[in-house]
Amino acid sequence: MDNENKSQEEVEYETRLRRRLKILQEQFKAGKVKIMEGLDVVNSLEAVRLRDDGEVDLTTVDGLVRSMALAVTAMHDREELKNEMTLSEIQTTYFSFIYTQFNEYYEQMVKHRLTPHAVSMGLTRNKDFVDDINKNIDEFLDVIYQFWESVGEIAHIHMEDMHGNIKGVFGGDLFPSHNENIASKCGIYADTIILPDPFVRSKHVFENQPGEERAYYLIKHAMNILQYRELACADVNVPIVVILPDLSVIQEGERDFFHSLGKQDSLVHAGKLFGRRFDSFDELLDFAKSLDTVERAVAEIEDSSRILFDTDWTGDAGEQIKRALNTKHYNQFVKYPGVLLASQSLSRMSISNEILVKARRLNGTPIIDAPTSWQYLVWKMEYDAQRAEAEFKSDGLHIIKGLTDLADKEMQWIGNIPPQALIQLRKDGALDEIRVILGAGIKDIIESNPSNFFRSRDAILENIDSAFRNHQKNLDNLISKKWKFAGKDIGSWLVVGALEVTAAVTGTPVWGLATIAADQLLEVPKLKDIPKSIRDLADENNKIKKSPVGMLFNIHKKC
């Protein structure tokens, strides 16, 4: 058929197909594609013919060859994209820009041993400073957004394709606490800590808050993120810290998809909270609006343990609801106590879904250092496991274990490593030896998610118990060696706190669990409503059948 008789869509498809076939041919010549004899695709390749003008006769290219060309081209383009800029170059460029803008304030913070919060509060008390900062905030943020629009996908691909290292993906908050360095907490248990860009994650704050709030968050984020500059830009083979933008900001439709999953989980959560079934989020919202006083809300609550605004808050359900309604975070947007409870559930569950999908995309494990966020992730895992139990006729698929479960006294772990010592550990190659002494306990926990549902839950729990016990025993052996790094004894890195793992042992992706029990939830996402990026990820996940898992690192005190 001549091109003039073809539709524009057909012409464009044939152009793409010819490019793919050319790349397939080049990859064959380069020895990058090998095919075992006897496969059907061999016959299909041998059937391909050229026209008199030297172009491939597309009528001789069957579906097998077209699929192979598509897959090979995707891998080729992915490698070409990575070659445009290394991960190290991306991180160095990012931190250099931020340091150039804020080094004066950062150096003063370090000199006087202040926190990012203290610096931000001090500076924003000055109206002239706030006014000056606000004149330049939008320009600064535009540079950040444009930077990630150009290299964000490249940075993600670099991390996705980095295999063999344990990756911890931070979640549950805008950014790790400014009081502690999360790499210092987790750097012995994870090779690479992946942190979100806080400027991108706070986009809604910069767009909707008044000038003083905008200035406060800009300075706080800059001071906080610069504390990771040395670790992110360290000259080591495997990066210690990597900053990545949230793809939900870059990929169209992802944030809405996480919101839809959050709605479904909030129905389950609200069902347990109020002891009744909700078939749609609209039904939940109508019910929530009827609870227009604290007294009415409390009267409808069946399980008050499902109310959580902050793990540090005390008081009964009514007192916590009143306190939340009076906070600046809620009183601007929420009027009714019932709506407060529903919106809190929706927000927290959406965040939990996002971090689980993000971690799976990066082949990592969610790491959380905020107990409130951790509890919602644990609940999320519980609800996923219950759906899977109904589908697969199994029981006890939710696991949560921690060091404190295994001893009468507080237990220790390594969670206070100075950044300079962490870098030296990597450069000296000492981390592998320390890992051998500690045992593979943490890695075993991360990988203890069988897709075989017939495996005994007791056996899984025993493996986790054993891993934690061996960790504690080997920790004592490690300390007895009295090794020093960057002038600090390993014994000074010990902390006491919660080190926990939660897993929904399902072998089913988190984004699939919301749809497997249609009789329980009516608001099941239609295929067309699921972003392509998520569908592609789900297809990849189906090949590995790895269940979701998360870890909490929460320091109670330093030894």
Side-chain angles (χ1 to χ4, degrees):
M1 186 187 296
D2 294 332
N3 276 356
E4 59 262 23
N5 297 320
K6 297 177 182 177
S7 67
Q8 182 66 27
E9 185 177 340
E10 288 174 317
V11 172
E12 290 175 354
Y13 170 73
E14 289 189 358
T15 300
R16 294 194 300 271
L17 178 56
R18 290 189 186 281
R19 174 181 179 266
R20 293 168 188 163
L21 292 170
K22 183 179 179 181
I23 291 173
L24 178 61
Q25 182 184 43
E26 291 171 349
Q27 297 295 85
F28 265 119
K29 287 182 179 178
K32 295 181 179 179
V33 178
K34 302 184 186 303
I35 303 174
M36 294 178 59
E37 290 292 335
L39 295 180
D40 290 342
V41 72
V42 174
N43 295 329
S44 297
L45 288 167
E46 291 175 347
V48 175
R49 297 289 181 266
L50 298 180
R51 299 186 318 202
D52 292 339
D53 62 2
E55 291 286 343
V56 174
D57 180 355
L58 297 184
T59 63
T60 66
V61 181
D62 68 10
L64 285 175
V65 175
R66 294 179 189 223
S67 297
M68 173 179 278
L70 178 62
V72 170
T73 299
M75 290 187 289
H76 168 271
D77 290 349
R78 189 179 181 92
E79 289 303 314
E80 288 294 301
L81 198 59
K82 284 162 61 178
N83 291 335
E84 289 185 16
M85 200 171 189
T86 68
L87 183 61
S88 177
E89 289 171 336
I90 293 171
Q91 298 297 301
T92 300
T93 302
Y94 174 81
F95 276 96
S96 294
F97 173 68
I98 296 175
Y99 184 75
T100 300
Q101 304 297 315
F102 298 100
N103 67 86
E104 177 184 350
Y105 309 123
Y106 179 70
E107 297 300 340
Q108 288 297 313
M109 182 183 79
V110 174
K111 179 180 178 180
H112 297 289
R113 297 185 178 181
L114 300 174
T115 66
H117 170 71
V119 172
S120 303
M121 288 297 293
L123 290 173
T124 53
R125 288 193 185 103
N126 184 322
K127 185 179 182 302
D128 291 338
F129 174 85
V130 171
D131 291 341
D132 287 341
I133 282 287
N134 274 278
K135 292 176 184 176
N136 302 303
I137 282 182
D138 291 336
E139 183 180 352
F140 170 83
L141 293 174
D142 282 344
V143 173
I144 293 291
Y145 298 153
Q146 290 172 21
F147 174 77
W148 286 126
E149 283 176 5
S150 63
V151 303
E153 184 180 0
I154 301 174
H156 266 271
I157 290 174
H158 276 296
M159 285 310 303
E160 289 168 19
D161 291 353
M162 193 174 291
H163 302 289
N165 61 322
I166 301 173
K167 289 178 276 192
V169 183
F170 174 80
D173 208 341
L174 288 175
F175 202 71
S177 169
H178 59 262
N179 295 322
E180 295 169 330
N181 187 307
I182 195 168
S184 295
K185 281 184 179 182
C186 315
I188 206 80
Y189 304 105
D191 298 303
T192 302
I193 308 296
I194 301 170
L195 303 179
D197 179 305
F199 302 109
V200 172
R201 185 164 275 199
S202 300
K203 190 175 183 180
H204 66 286
V205 173
F206 294 119
E207 291 176 344
N208 301 308
Q209 293 302 312
E212 187 174 332
E213 288 284 311
R214 281 158 49 96
Y216 168 80
Y217 278 103
L218 185 79
I219 297 298
K220 179 184 175 183
H221 287 335
M223 297 301 100
N224 202 352
I225 206 167
L226 284 174
Q227 294 184 108
Y228 293 92
R229 175 170 170 250
E230 184 180 12
L231 290 168
C233 299
D235 184 16
V236 291
N237 292 330
V238 177
I240 301 171
V241 168
V242 170
I243 306 294
L244 294 181
D246 288 329
L247 276 189
S248 57
V249 178
I250 299 174
Q251 300 278 10
E252 184 178 354
E254 282 207 5
R255 188 168 294 279
D256 291 340
F257 179 68
F258 297 138
H259 190 71
S260 69
L261 289 181
K263 278 185 176 181
Q264 295 166 37
D265 288 322
S266 67
L267 297 182
V268 181
H269 187 77
K272 293 182 179 295
L273 174 63
F274 294 113
R276 55 189 295 170
R277 175 187 169 114
F278 298 98
D279 291 328
S280 71
F281 193 76
D282 286 340
E283 181 184 338
L284 169 59
L285 204 56
D286 287 340
F287 173 75
K289 288 177 180 177
S290 72
L291 308 181
D292 55 358
T293 68
V294 173
E295 291 72 22
R296 287 194 180 99
V298 171
E300 291 290 341
I301 292 171
E302 181 170 295
D303 183 358
S304 60
S305 69
R306 301 278 162 167
I307 294 177
L308 180 61
F309 299 101
D310 191 313
T311 53
D312 290 333
W313 288 11
T314 58
D316 59 24
E319 292 170 331
Q320 294 203 38
I321 293 172
K322 288 178 183 177
R323 182 172 178 176
L325 287 170
N326 288 324
T327 62
K328 183 167 63 174
H329 181 74
Y330 293 109
N331 63 17
Q332 300 178 60
F333 312 105
V334 180
K335 181 178 179 181
Y336 301 125
V339 175
L340 169 69
L341 294 171
S343 62
Q344 169 76 348
S345 171
L346 171 60
S347 173
R348 289 288 187 171
M349 287 300 167
S350 298
I351 291 170
S352 293
N353 276 288
E354 181 176 5
I355 181 58
L356 285 166
V357 173
K358 182 178 180 180
R360 180 56 53 84
R361 172 180 278 130
L362 295 167
N363 298 310
T365 298
I367 284 182
I368 290 176
D369 67 349
T372 304
S373 299
W374 172 251
Q375 181 57 68
Y376 277 94
L377 181 65
V378 169
W379 280 331
K380 161 64 184 170
M381 296 291 208
E382 175 190 335
Y383 305 153
D384 281 354
Q386 288 171 354
R387 293 183 182 115
E389 287 168 2
E391 174 72 9
F392 298 108
K393 307 296 188 294
S394 298
D395 294 320
L397 296 183
H398 181 226
I399 292 174
I400 178 169
K401 272 289 181 180
L403 286 175
T404 51
D405 292 336
L406 307 177
D408 296 329
K409 62 180 182 179
E410 293 179 315
M411 297 183 73
Q412 298 175 324
W413 46 281
I414 296 179
N416 186 31
I417 311 171
Q420 297 83 1
L422 192 51
I423 293 171
Q424 187 182 338
L425 280 170
R426 298 293 179 89
K427 288 186 173 181
D428 292 350
L431 193 59
D432 290 339
E433 187 170 355
I434 290 175
R435 281 257 178 85
V436 170
I437 294 174
L438 287 175
I442 300 301
K443 191 169 187 291
D444 289 343
I445 292 168
I446 292 172
E447 296 179 350
S448 66
N449 306 301
S451 57
N452 179 1
F453 293 101
F454 298 101
R455 182 176 176 181
S456 166
R457 181 174 186 269
D458 292 339
I460 297 169
L461 289 175
E462 178 56 35
N463 287 346
I464 294 176
D465 285 359
S466 176
F468 273 129
R469 291 186 188 281
N470 287 335
H471 177 279
Q472 187 66 26
K473 179 179 68 176
N474 293 331
L475 191 60
D476 296 335
N477 296 334
L478 178 62
I479 295 167
S480 69
K481 291 183 175 291
K482 300 189 181 302
W483 285 341
K484 288 183 181 291
F485 294 90
K488 298 291 185 180
D489 190 283
I490 287 181
S492 67
W493 303 349
L494 295 182
V495 299
V496 171
L499 176 54
E500 296 180 356
V501 60
T502 181
V505 187
T506 64
T508 304
V510 60
W511 46 88
L513 285 167
T515 66
I516 63 174
D519 62 320
Q520 297 180 32
L521 294 170
L522 301 183
E523 294 188 315
V524 177
K526 304 297 187 294
L527 184 62
K528 66 180 178 61
D529 297 327
I530 301 177
K532 183 178 184 303
S533 55
I534 299 294
R535 295 201 301 271
D536 292 344
L537 184 59
D539 289 341
E540 182 63 26
N541 181 88
N542 287 335
K543 299 174 185 176
I544 58 176
K545 292 290 184 184
K546 186 176 179 182
S547 298
V549 63
M551 295 192 73
L552 168 73
F553 290 83
N554 180 38
I555 295 174
H556 296 160
K557 67 179 182 181
K558 296 178 180 178
C559 300

